Amino acid sequence: MAGLAAPAASFGPSLFALAPVAGPTARFRTQVCGSRCWIAAKLKLRKALKRHGWQLQRKLDAQGDEKSPGCLDVTSLTEKITRQNLQLAHGAFTLPLPLYADSGNEMASTSSDTMDSSIVQKEPMHLTFNPPGTYPPAPTEASSLFDGQSNSEPSLSISVIGATGELARSKVFPALFALYYSGFLPQDVSIFGYSRKAITDEGLRSMIEANLTCRVDHHENCDDKLSEFLKRTYYIDAGHDNNDGMMRLNSRMAQIEGTRAANRIFYLAVPQEALLDVALSLADSAQSKQGWNRIIIEKPFGFTGVSSYRVTQSLLSRFKEEQIYRIDHLLGKDLIENLTVLRFSNLVFEPLWNRNYIRNVQVIFSEETATEIQGRYFGNYGIIRDIVHSHILQTIALFAMEPPVSLEGEDIRDEKVKVLRSIRKVDLEDVVLGQLKDNSGKADRYTKSMTPTYFASAMYIDNARWDGVPFLIKTGMGLMKNRAEIRIQFRHVPGNIYRERFGHDIDLDTNELILRDQPEEAILLKVNNKVPGLGLQLDASELNLLYRDKYQVEIPDSYEHLLLDVVDGDNHLFMRSDELAAAWDVLAPIIQEIDQNRVAPELYEAGDRGPINAYYLAAKHGVRWDDDW
């Protein structure tokens, strides 16, 4: 059976490696079958974890290997056999696992949901003969940092650029720790902070530790997990030159990663004016050459359509489209995911999702806090560029798109961009602008700037499904309460024989479907029913699904959701370049018209409902805003 060495070599860079040593046929079959079974079970487990999250992980941890689902019980046996064979001392051959060397490309890894060893590029096998009595070189300190990890698994390095800023400290690092604690990040993950402040690793750890907490419903071993996470966190001083700084970042990451294959994620929590300098320096000096690279870019995505196009072209000159993730944290809410789930997985709704049954759609987003007003909104970006361009238009696109071919990110993005390209040119008469009145005593602040903090508009989608259906959007800061919902109002029942039972207000008999994220997560369906008792009196009631009553879990932060999508390569909630351009084609003309005509926004008080003209706008299009603020 000496010929067994050749078949082992033919596997090339597959997801497992068999030691090329002579042995019984039974052992060979055990290794092959066991490895195949382990791969299948690993894929199944990954999909289950992605769907059911940390609850399944904790259950598996409690059960142990012998009770794991499928055929995971062969994992430990297969790994032990492979390790033993690879460590034979006398006359053994060492098979170094191939590294996935492709700078900047998205490629398959063992963490993918779909893997096929037949499509992995095969490389020649390099054999190193160790003389009798000698052993393979011991791994270095960096490469052995993560004990117990198979060398076939690429490590993951996540770099937060702008690590000492408010966004990184209050949102990004807490989200990364929540994912790590819940078991959604690989055990061999490393976190790197990059900024211009002169601090050390311990300085960064102390800075972010105050914001790292465990969930109330998921609090076991919190201190231990926190300590482990902080030990995996490192700091790199960017200095005054990003080219040199990125080289230092790359060197530090390579030191921690060792000689293994490594995937890298870069979160660019930097101001828009610094974006290109950071991104291009990163592309030249800090990308992994032995795994995939992905960059995350924060909104707003440009100040005008022209400036956004220039930024996009600069990014695409160094990165591929599939590497770029334009993040909007508002799209990570369960409300957004429920749009497609509710529509495409329930037969009762999909036939009604068109102009024949839907009278209007309202997309409402408001915040009572005004903490961001002075910086972002009075800083000339305003609510149109920051909220409407990304969150509102993406919500409309997901709501109104045609059924995608699959749930793959590119298929969903293909349908979204069709909706954005079908949105009719917005008329200035169908726009209401508002600005939060400044009560700080600096009366000249809002008189010198006409940047809106409130925007309401009526939009139409010119296609066969939505022709004539108004999409009313209303979003603002410093309003009465936090509110995020999508309200679908259906048409009246033709020839309704119960019409007289509703009195004079015909709108009372309108069926509504409400998807709400704030003030509390809920799905509500407004229906008409008879009031109990004698006589025939009708009333409108809500069939409600309140998440707090149905699901006894804490809702993850939207940053956790989106960061996990980046790790998994799921890009359907991130804007592609053509989506970005299509959104600017919708808003750029109206922004230009507002600037040219110097349209003054209507002032409103903090804690108010917003400009009164928004109600006249809704009435003009036959819509009544819901006053449940």
Side-chain angles (χ1 to χ4, degrees):
M1 300 297 293
L4 284 177
S10 66
F11 285 105
S14 63
L15 301 177
F16 56 91
L18 301 181
V21 295
T25 303
R27 175 177 297 181
F28 177 78
R29 291 176 177 173
T30 299
Q31 291 180 340
V32 173
C33 296
S35 298
R36 287 179 177 173
C37 193
W38 178 80
I39 293 170
K42 185 75 172 179
L43 287 175
K44 184 176 181 181
L45 179 60
R46 281 283 298 181
K47 292 183 178 180
L49 284 175
K50 186 175 180 181
R51 179 174 299 177
H52 301 292
W54 61 267
Q55 293 175 334
L56 177 60
Q57 179 67 59
R58 291 171 61 192
K59 182 181 292 186
L60 294 179
D61 292 342
Q63 289 176 344
D65 290 341
E66 68 276 8
K67 295 183 180 180
S68 299
C71 51
L72 285 178
D73 53 340
V74 305
T75 303
S76 59
L77 174 62
T78 306
E79 290 180 343
K80 288 179 181 178
I81 293 174
T82 303
R83 285 198 298 267
Q84 291 171 0
N85 287 339
L86 287 176
Q87 295 174 356
L88 289 177
H90 298 286
F93 289 96
T94 301
L95 293 179
L97 293 176
L99 301 179
Y100 299 104
D102 189 351
S103 175
N105 290 338
E106 300 292 327
M107 56 194 68
S109 72
T110 54
S111 63
S112 303
D113 288 337
T114 57
M115 290 188 287
D116 184 356
S117 61
S118 64
I119 64 173
V120 180
Q121 182 180 359
K122 295 186 176 181
E123 297 179 358
M125 180 177 63
H126 302 284
L127 304 179
T128 302
F129 179 79
N130 295 300
T134 62
Y135 294 85
T140 62
E141 179 180 356
S143 63
S144 62
L145 177 63
F146 310 106
D147 295 334
Q149 296 298 312
S150 171
N151 283 340
S152 63
E153 292 275 356
S155 62
L156 176 63
S157 296
I158 302 176
S159 298
V160 182
I161 313 300
T164 57
E166 177 64 23
L167 174 63
R169 288 186 287 111
S170 63
K171 292 295 184 181
V172 181
F173 283 115
L176 289 173
F177 173 65
L179 292 176
Y180 177 79
Y181 181 85
S182 302
F184 285 107
L185 293 181
Q187 292 186 7
D188 55 352
V189 67
S190 300
I191 311 296
F192 298 87
Y194 176 95
S195 180
R196 289 185 173 177
K197 285 192 176 181
I199 59 175
T200 62
D201 291 348
E202 289 301 326
L204 176 65
R205 293 165 185 169
S206 299
M207 182 181 297
I208 67 175
E209 184 176 6
N211 293 321
L212 305 183
T213 58
C214 299
R215 294 199 184 97
V216 174
D217 61 346
H218 187 189
H219 206 271
E220 296 85 354
N221 302 320
C222 182
D223 292 339
D224 293 340
K225 286 290 186 179
L226 178 59
S227 178
E228 292 175 10
F229 180 81
L230 291 175
K231 287 179 181 178
R232 298 172 182 273
T233 304
Y234 310 92
Y235 183 76
I236 293 86
D237 185 353
H240 298 287
D241 186 344
N242 277 317
N243 289 320
D244 294 338
M246 287 298 169
M247 290 180 184
R248 288 192 294 272
L249 174 61
N250 181 67
S251 177
R252 189 69 184 278
M253 287 192 291
Q255 176 189 8
I256 302 301
E257 294 163 351
T259 58
R260 303 171 51 191
N263 300 321
R264 294 179 180 178
I265 294 174
F266 301 89
Y267 195 117
L268 275 56
V270 298
Q272 290 297 303
E273 54 269 20
L275 174 62
L276 282 183
D277 181 44
V278 170
L280 299 183
S281 299
L282 182 161
D284 293 338
S285 305
Q287 292 197 78
S288 171
K289 295 179 172 58
Q290 304 180 82
W292 49 253
N293 299 273
R294 294 167 184 163
I295 63 168
I296 304 174
I297 300 173
E298 270 282 352
K299 65 174 185 176
F301 309 117
F303 189 78
T304 64
V306 174
S307 66
S308 177
Y309 175 79
R310 290 172 179 167
V311 171
T312 297
Q313 293 305 306
S314 295
L315 291 174
L316 291 177
S317 69
R318 308 294 179 88
F319 299 97
K320 292 189 176 182
E321 180 67 53
E322 59 266 24
Q323 294 179 260
I324 304 173
Y325 288 74
R326 298 176 180 88
I327 191 172
D328 180 352
H329 71 280
L330 297 175
L331 295 175
K333 296 181 177 292
D334 281 338
L335 165 69
I336 302 301
E337 289 284 31
N338 261 329
L339 274 177
T340 53
V341 172
L342 195 70
R343 174 183 172 186
F344 296 124
S345 66
N346 294 282
L347 181 62
V348 67
F349 292 122
E350 172 58 20
L352 308 180
W353 221 260
N354 55 67
R355 64 186 179 88
N356 296 324
Y357 297 97
I358 293 180
R359 186 156 61 107
N360 66 78
V361 179
Q362 301 174 30
V363 181
I364 301 170
F365 178 80
S366 66
E367 290 187 355
E368 59 182 343
T369 178
T371 56
E372 293 182 281
I373 295 297
Q374 296 183 7
R376 182 179 298 171
Y377 297 100
F378 285 100
N380 292 326
Y381 271 99
I383 200 166
I384 302 177
R385 296 176 175 90
D386 189 79
I387 302 295
V388 180
H389 177 265
S390 177
H391 174 58
I392 299 297
L393 290 185
Q394 282 289 296
T395 300
I396 291 176
L398 284 165
F399 177 92
M401 69 180 183
E402 295 298 314
V405 175
S406 72
L407 291 178
E408 292 296 323
E410 294 306 319
D411 291 333
I412 294 177
R413 292 161 118 184
D414 288 343
E415 299 303 329
K416 286 194 298 177
V417 74
K418 292 177 185 177
V419 174
L420 295 173
R421 289 171 176 167
S422 299
I423 294 179
R424 184 188 307 172
K425 181 181 181 298
V426 180
D427 194 331
L428 185 59
E429 295 181 355
D430 289 333
V431 171
V432 174
L433 301 178
Q435 189 182 81
L436 180 65
K437 184 180 289 187
D438 181 24
N439 294 319
S440 65
K442 299 179 180 180
D444 61 339
R445 177 175 297 171
Y446 58 82
T447 56
K448 288 184 178 180
S449 170
M450 291 192 292
T451 304
T453 60
Y454 179 100
F455 180 86
S457 178
M459 296 184 177
Y460 289 85
I461 301 174
D462 289 334
N463 63 20
R465 182 180 290 270
W466 299 109
D467 185 30
V469 177
F471 284 74
L472 273 291
I473 64 177
K474 180 169 62 173
T475 179
M477 299 293 165
L479 296 174
M480 185 175 293
K481 67 167 60 172
N482 293 330
R483 189 180 181 197
E485 70 177 32
I486 302 168
R487 185 175 291 263
I488 303 108
Q489 292 187 346
F490 294 91
R491 297 191 181 277
H492 299 298
V493 176
N496 192 344
I497 60 177
Y498 291 102
R499 184 170 184 170
E500 297 178 356
R501 305 295 177 175
F502 286 98
H504 298 290
D505 193 348
I506 190 62
D507 284 333
L508 288 178
D509 72 343
T510 298
N511 299 123
E512 285 185 319
L513 175 63
I514 305 163
L515 307 180
R516 179 176 294 163
D517 183 77
Q518 289 180 320
E520 59 181 358
E521 294 84 0
I523 299 176
L524 311 172
L525 180 62
K526 182 178 175 182
V527 298
N528 302 316
N529 61 277
K530 177 185 176 298
V531 176
L534 300 177
L536 185 60
Q537 182 179 357
L538 271 62
D539 187 27
S541 303
E542 286 184 347
L543 306 179
N544 60 67
L545 167 62
L546 297 178
Y547 276 40
R548 59 176 168 81
D549 295 337
K550 175 67 174 177
Y551 305 105
Q552 302 298 320
V553 295
E554 187 175 349
I555 305 299
D557 184 76
S558 57
Y559 277 93
E560 297 176 40
H561 183 178
L562 294 173
L563 284 171
L564 180 59
D565 282 350
V566 176
V567 173
D568 290 336
D570 183 353
N571 56 15
H572 79 282
L573 292 176
F574 301 84
M575 295 180 72
R576 199 168 59 191
S577 295
D578 55 350
E579 290 182 79
L580 187 66
W584 275 115
D585 287 343
V586 172
L587 294 178
I590 192 65
I591 292 175
Q592 184 177 8
E593 195 170 355
I594 290 172
D595 292 341
Q596 289 177 348
N597 292 288
R598 297 191 59 80
V599 178
E602 179 182 342
L603 298 179
Y604 61 92
E605 297 284 348
D608 201 355
R609 298 178 184 271
I612 190 65
N613 283 329
Y615 293 89
Y616 294 118
L617 171 67
K620 173 184 175 181
H621 294 273
V623 178
R624 187 170 71 176
W625 292 115
D626 177 68
D627 288 330
D628 183 21
W629 284 83

